[in-house]
Amino acid sequence: MLLETAAILYGISNIMKADKNNEEAARITMRAFKKMEESNTKLIQANEELNESITKLANRKMGVLKTSMTKFLDLYETIMKIDFQESEGLLELKNKRV
């Protein structure tokens, strides 16, 4: 009888330990899910910021292409149309080494 009682008490003790372990595991799991949710929220926010930055960069690039680049190309075409004749000044510049 004493042996049976000890076995029952030992079994109850193990069940109580297992129950505590299950509760701790549930708490840890909940914390992990919360961290995962926070990480996903931060990831979504970072992706939105990235997309905004890329859009701003693209807009700036388009602005440069439409303004500065157009001016540059107009000036470049004008320069290319100049007919440089061999002259003393040009020969001097051509032979000068820096």
Side-chain angles (χ1 to χ4, degrees):
M1 179 78 168
L2 185 60
L3 191 57
E4 290 172 350
T5 305
I8 291 172
L9 290 176
Y10 180 74
I12 291 173
S13 172
N14 284 342
I15 290 171
M16 291 175 64
K17 285 180 185 178
D19 190 43
K20 285 182 182 179
N21 287 341
N22 285 340
E23 288 175 6
E24 181 66 19
R27 280 195 296 273
I28 291 171
T29 301
M30 288 304 293
R31 276 188 280 163
F33 278 124
K34 285 181 183 178
K35 284 186 179 185
M36 189 171 71
E37 185 178 330
E38 290 171 2
S39 296
N40 283 336
T41 302
K42 288 179 182 179
L43 178 63
I44 289 169
Q45 183 180 4
N47 278 333
E48 288 172 357
E49 290 175 7
L50 174 65
N51 287 334
E52 288 176 16
S53 295
I54 290 173
T55 301
K56 285 181 183 178
L57 177 63
N59 288 337
R60 287 184 186 143
K61 186 173 181 178
M62 288 303 295
V64 167
L65 289 174
K66 288 181 179 178
T67 57
S68 302
M69 193 60 132
T70 304
K71 290 177 186 177
F72 168 78
L73 290 174
D74 290 342
L75 289 173
Y76 185 76
E77 284 179 14
T78 303
I79 291 172
M80 293 305 295
K81 290 178 185 175
I82 297 174
D83 183 24
F84 291 102
Q85 301 291 324
E86 288 288 327
S87 66
E88 187 177 322
L90 286 176
L91 288 174
E92 183 180 337
L93 288 173
K94 184 177 178 181
N95 294 327
K96 184 162 178 102
R97 301 222 181 232
V98 180

